[in-house]
Amino acid sequence: MLASLLVPVLALTAPLVAFAAPVSPASPLEERAVYKYCADVSVCGESKIVENSHHWCHRNICDWACNDGYYRKDNKCWWSGSSSSSSTSSGSTSSSSSSSSSSSSSSSSSTAEFVPTQENVLAASGVTKFTGTNTGAIASWFKTNSAQDSTNGHSWCYFGYNDNTPGIAISLNTMMSDANWDATVARQKYCGLEVVVTTPQGRSETLYVTDAFDDAWVRTPTSIDVVFNAFQKLWGGFTDNKNDVIQNVEWKFTGRRSEQYKYGGAGY
């Protein structure tokens, strides 16, 4: 989601707003606004795809997948060399078979659902950002289907959400930098990670990464944007004033991931 604090007058008072100019409609977060739902790939023909790929209906959303012999990395399709010529020698045949198997595994991993193999999903997922306790954060709030907040009920994490979702948005740039700027890998790594958020007043909530915010609007990448109803609990009352933010918040990952809020999960 884009910044919650979009009203010009708030730019002078709200501490979460950065001094950078507003991002253009081509912001990576605007992908959510152009998601195209599909029952099959026949409706996906106008969606943008990269070289050596084809249209794909993925979890009822138009996407792209790499052609045979290519694997997905850094939002591109890379040649895997899987079509190397076969050899009559048993050793070469074994090597070719191994190469083909490795290529097949690499190709399938570009589209298969990410499944952690260790109890601590941070280590299993290769998450290297926001580890430990994040201090000095500013918590603001956003609604999940609001023109003011540039949201439309569909999360960056590829599921539907609403104002009751126990979620937060964290820095898009930080997540992307930890995924070599591949948006799919960033979603696989971070969506659904469980977070404990604590305010200076001692209020604490267990929430989940369910969205991303554009860094052009914040002073520090450790800041968080909290889904509306979860924010009320941290605030200790009710507010719908965009100037109401919580300073000096602490938050940390627990090492667990919610199946409901993982990339492409059930959501809500």
Side-chain angles (χ1 to χ4, degrees):
M1 42 77 58
L2 296 180
S4 299
L5 310 174
L6 298 180
V7 181
V9 67
L10 296 182
L12 300 176
T13 58
L16 189 58
V17 178
F19 296 107
V23 294
S24 72
S27 162
L29 291 178
E30 289 297 293
E31 293 175 13
R32 174 176 49 246
V34 295
Y35 284 167
K36 186 170 185 178
Y37 286 83
C38 55
D40 57 65
V41 74
S42 63
V43 301
C44 299
E46 295 183 359
S47 301
K48 293 182 179 180
I49 61 175
V50 301
E51 187 177 2
N52 300 312
S53 71
H54 56 274
H55 292 100
W56 181 37
C57 182
H58 181 212
R59 297 191 181 101
N60 297 116
I61 297 175
C62 289
D63 199 349
W64 54 268
C66 293
N67 296 337
D68 289 344
Y70 293 83
Y71 64 95
R72 182 168 178 165
K73 182 180 179 182
D74 303 339
N75 276 336
K76 296 180 181 179
C77 288
W78 299 85
W79 173 241
S80 64
S82 62
S83 298
S84 57
S85 59
S86 60
S87 171
T88 56
S89 71
S90 59
S92 296
T93 301
S94 174
S95 175
S96 175
S97 174
S98 174
S99 174
S100 176
S101 173
S102 174
S103 170
S104 174
S105 173
S106 176
S107 177
S108 63
S109 68
S110 68
T111 57
E113 185 171 313
F114 185 85
V115 180
T117 57
Q118 301 177 23
E119 182 177 353
N120 186 328
V121 298
L122 300 182
S125 306
V127 170
T128 65
K129 307 297 185 181
F130 297 126
T131 56
T133 301
N134 298 280
T135 61
I138 302 170
S140 60
W141 60 266
F142 72 98
K143 290 191 173 183
T144 55
N145 193 355
S146 165
Q148 181 184 23
D149 294 331
S150 297
T151 55
N152 61 9
H154 302 293
S155 164
W156 178 79
C157 290
Y158 272 57
F159 52 70
Y161 61 172
N162 58 38
D163 288 348
N164 290 317
T165 299
I168 65 170
I170 60 177
S171 163
L172 174 69
N173 283 352
T174 304
M175 291 188 286
M176 290 286 284
S177 69
D178 198 26
N180 206 14
W181 303 99
D182 186 315
T184 297
V185 174
R187 291 179 174 104
Q188 290 171 333
K189 280 190 171 190
Y190 285 92
C191 291
L193 289 181
E194 187 177 79
V195 176
V196 173
V197 180
T198 305
T199 71
Q201 294 74 31
R203 301 185 187 97
S204 183
E205 290 293 324
T206 298
L207 305 173
Y208 303 91
V209 176
T210 56
D211 213 336
F213 65 69
D214 196 304
D215 294 69
W217 296 95
V218 296
R219 294 181 185 275
T220 168
T222 62
S223 292
I224 58 176
D225 220 2
V226 185
V227 173
F228 184 70
N229 287 338
F231 182 86
Q232 309 305 317
K233 297 176 182 178
L234 292 170
W235 181 254
F238 177 85
T239 180
D240 57 3
N241 185 340
K242 285 295 188 182
N243 283 321
D244 287 339
V245 297
I246 308 173
Q247 302 273 2
N248 296 317
V249 168
E250 292 186 357
W251 63 276
K252 61 181 179 180
F253 292 130
T254 66
R256 294 185 290 269
R257 187 191 308 276
S258 166
E259 287 293 303
Q260 184 175 358
Y261 301 120
K262 68 183 181 182
Y263 169 48
Y268 293 108

